[in-house]
Amino acid sequence: MGKLLFIETLGCAMNSRDSEHMIAELREKEGYETTDDFKIADLILINTCSVRERPVHKLFSELGGFNKHKKKGAKIGVCGCTASHLGEEIIKKAPYVNFVLGARNVSRISEVLHKDKAVEIDINYDESEFAFKDFRSSSFKGFINISIGCDKSCTFCIVPKTRGDEISIPDSLIINEAKRIVEMGAKEIFLLGQNVNNYGRRFSGEHEKMNFTKLLRRLSKIEKLERIRFTSPHPFHMDDEFIEEFSSNPKICKSMHMPLQSGSTKVLKEMKRGYSKEWFLNRVQKLKTMCPEATISTDIIVGFPGESDEDFEDTIDVMKQVQFDQIFSFKYSPRPQTEAERFTNIVDGDVASQRLSFLQSIHNEIIDQNNAKLLGNIYRVYFEDLHRDAYVTGRSDNNIVIKVKGSEELLGTFRDVKIISIGRTILTGEVIA
Ligand code: SAH
Ligand code: F3S
């Protein structure tokens, strides 16, 4: 039997893609196969997230558990954003860790594997043109990175410190990757970047002038490709051309992530988000006018330093006006090496928790009201996941998750589905064609 790799992935979709990249390299170059059981693995990797504090704390207790129960001689590697941010400290605190590999250095996985106590965390390392081997965890859709790093300086965010400056990946590489995904039989691609609609800002080599809208147009020419999704676009870069392309290009799925963070112009300024409450609402208005069927999701932080009751009211106001279909909401968590870490006008933890629960309860009301209107609607669903008890889930073009009774044969197919019952996070339907 070959060597076995156990990999745990925390955090965002970019981390999931980084894990796929590492699995691909380790399979091709080192002969590893993956396992779900860390106790029999020869190599244990944790691909970490450092965007909030809690997962960082969890890392060390988890590492202890891995070390205690691992197979004799197995190696442990810590990868991803916490690796970039803590570097050598990880090996000091947990000396049994064999190597530390930053989020910007995943192409070096087979190199560090053979150097005990290696720490590769250079955030200026350029892997924007590195030709990773192919490995995909889904046969029905493929994730594609279109840029690495982030050039923004949101005052709460650690990502620019862990993933470095933003570099776009040449469109020829992206298009070839999309073609390979389609040849494999998948019909959907998912473009990834911290700031996808800032695509083309900087390439590491010579490149024609490009932007995200142009990239979307080029990708949509791939014949058998049926659906294009992407995350995250930044509200600041949502110009008319982008919203018009989004609305009129039939291959682009009609769900938009618009990370609001706060509805207060004052707080947005403190966060250095680059837009105001009015700009955000104006962009939503444009999107809703051009594309009424689009669903909109968002990220919201409550309890950012200096957030007053009035500021929080502004967030609730935007939420009520926009009627977001999905929210990812967080209590502000101070992060090392960020500007906001030094802000002194801290919001009391209990106040922040109350705001978070209030926000979530208002959002639940919005969802319940909106979902009730979906009963009886018909959606074209692309089925991707088989579950126990003989049901299959998929997504509508506008990203509504729908489950139906069914089996494997539905996977990878598009079907018309009628909604027959409503839940808060999942709708149930029946296949009608
Ligand atoms: N580039 C992405 C953000 C990546 S981080 C974007 O603009 O959407 C994902 C989300 O985590 C952010 O949108 C934000 O809502 C949340 N987040 C980031 N830093 C945080 C912090 N210090 N405390 C709480 N939430 C944070
Ligand atoms: Fe973070 Fe802002 Fe970039 S949230 S990832 S610094 S766009």
Side-chain angles (χ1 to χ4, degrees):
M1 197 159 92
K3 288 172 285 182
L4 291 175
L5 161 70
F6 170 87
I7 183 161
E8 177 180 337
T9 307
L10 309 168
C12 64
M14 298 204 79
N15 261 14
S16 303
R17 184 64 189 136
D18 289 344
S19 287
E20 287 182 343
H21 278 152
M22 291 190 285
I23 294 170
E25 292 295 301
L26 290 169
R27 275 161 65 114
E28 291 274 333
K29 295 186 180 156
E30 308 290 334
Y32 279 91
E33 281 309 322
T34 51
T35 171
D36 292 335
D37 180 2
F38 81 87
K39 291 181 183 144
I40 59 169
D42 302 280
L43 174 61
I44 297 172
L45 294 182
I46 311 189
N47 195 3
T48 57
C49 171
S50 58
V51 131
R52 281 167 294 277
E53 197 176 8
R54 202 177 298 155
V56 179
H57 278 316
K58 245 182 69 184
L59 171 67
F60 288 98
S61 60
E62 211 170 4
L63 277 173
F66 283 145
N67 185 46
K68 199 162 161 201
H69 302 291
K70 71 176 188 184
K71 182 171 128 179
K72 196 161 178 277
K75 289 184 179 176
I76 299 181
V78 178
C79 317
C81 284
T82 307
S84 309
H85 147 225
L86 294 179
E88 264 175 82
E89 236 182 272
I90 295 176
I91 297 185
K92 279 195 194 135
K93 262 190 160 162
Y96 47 82
V97 167
N98 296 85
F99 60 86
V100 174
L101 185 67
R104 180 83 174 226
N105 313 82
V106 289
S107 61
R108 302 169 96 160
I109 180 70
S110 36
E111 206 182 298
V112 290
L113 181 66
H114 300 293
K115 286 195 229 155
D116 199 34
K117 309 296 172 208
V119 178
E120 291 290 351
I121 53 167
D122 179 5
I123 58 162
N124 296 313
Y125 189 64
D126 181 3
E127 50 189 20
S128 62
E129 296 187 35
F130 185 85
F132 285 99
K133 305 287 175 204
D134 262 332
F135 171 82
R136 305 208 166 261
S137 42
S138 165
S139 330
F140 310 115
K141 70 171 168 217
F143 290 105
I144 306 178
N145 284 348
I146 67 162
S147 57
I148 56 176
C150 179
D151 264 9
K152 296 269 185 274
S153 37
C154 304
T155 54
F156 54 81
C157 185
I158 196 171
V159 172
K161 297 284 184 305
T162 62
R163 289 190 176 266
D165 289 346
E166 190 171 317
I167 306 181
S168 300
I169 292 169
D171 65 314
S172 55
L173 297 184
I174 297 170
I175 290 167
N176 283 340
E177 202 173 335
K179 285 182 177 160
R180 288 203 304 277
I181 291 167
V182 171
E183 274 157 26
M184 173 186 96
K187 299 184 179 79
E188 180 174 310
I189 57 169
F190 207 126
L191 308 175
L192 301 176
Q194 296 298 343
N195 249 318
V196 282
N197 52 345
N198 198 23
Y199 180 77
R201 176 181 166 84
R202 182 191 303 117
F203 292 93
S204 64
E206 283 285 305
H207 201 284
E208 71 176 295
K209 209 167 171 327
M210 267 299 275
N211 65 22
F212 188 52
T213 308
K214 238 189 217 176
L215 177 70
L216 289 171
R217 284 191 193 128
R218 286 186 188 176
L219 283 165
S220 54
K221 291 210 177 85
I222 299 174
E223 222 179 285
K224 287 187 191 138
L225 175 64
E226 300 205 33
R227 282 185 170 183
I228 304 175
R229 298 187 191 276
F230 51 80
T231 203
S232 288
H234 194 296
F236 176 80
H237 297 291
M238 290 191 178
D239 55 22
D240 286 353
E241 190 199 24
F242 166 66
I243 295 180
E244 281 156 20
E245 182 65 22
F246 173 87
S247 310
S248 61
N249 185 331
K251 290 196 177 179
I252 301 178
C253 289
K254 302 300 178 256
S255 74
M256 186 78 92
H257 188 59
M258 293 183 70
L260 169 68
Q261 312 302 359
S262 167
S264 150
T265 298
K266 185 195 99 194
V267 174
L268 287 168
K269 218 171 177 181
E270 294 287 306
M271 288 176 162
K272 294 203 176 149
R273 287 290 289 177
Y275 53 85
S276 60
K277 175 183 182 184
E278 289 66 35
W279 166 261
F280 188 90
L281 288 172
N282 170 285
R283 296 294 83 191
V284 170
Q285 194 52 45
K286 169 92 186 170
L287 178 64
K288 289 196 172 194
T289 311
M290 298 285 309
C291 190
E293 72 274 29
T295 53
I296 305 180
S297 56
T298 197
D299 291 349
I300 293 174
I301 297 177
V302 300
F304 185 76
E307 183 189 70
S308 64
D309 287 341
E310 291 72 40
D311 295 322
F312 179 62
E313 280 296 314
D314 274 328
T315 302
I316 297 292
D317 181 43
V318 174
M319 206 169 73
K320 287 184 176 164
Q321 288 197 50
V322 178
Q323 301 268 304
F324 293 111
D325 296 273
Q326 196 179 14
I327 59 167
F328 300 92
S329 50
F330 314 100
K331 219 167 111 169
Y332 168 68
S333 163
R335 307 306 298 122
Q337 299 167 42
T338 59
E339 236 185 291
E341 190 204 10
R342 295 192 297 274
F343 293 178
T344 48
N345 41 358
I346 307 296
V347 172
D348 177 77
D350 289 341
V351 172
S353 299
Q354 280 162 16
R355 287 181 186 163
L356 187 65
S357 329
F358 182 70
L359 179 106
Q360 289 170 343
S361 68
I362 297 281
H363 187 250
N364 284 341
E365 283 171 23
I366 292 176
I367 297 215
D368 291 345
Q369 270 171 23
N370 289 350
N371 278 2
K373 296 180 203 145
L374 306 181
L375 199 64
N377 281 4
I378 295 168
Y379 294 99
R380 191 134 183 88
V381 174
Y382 182 51
F383 286 103
E384 294 167 57
D385 294 301
L386 180 66
H387 302 264
R388 276 177 303 169
D389 307 327
Y391 76 91
V392 183
T393 52
R395 284 169 198 270
S396 66
D397 178 280
N398 59 357
N399 208 27
I400 300 174
V401 181
I402 299 172
K403 80 173 184 186
V404 301
K405 281 258 170 248
S407 61
E408 230 167 341
E409 68 202 30
L410 283 178
L411 294 177
T413 68
F414 285 92
R415 298 297 174 92
D416 289 338
V417 174
K418 185 175 179 180
I419 303 302
I420 54 169
S421 93
I422 303 289
R424 197 169 270 164
T425 53
I426 198 163
L427 307 183
T428 307
E430 63 187 8
V431 175
I432 55 167

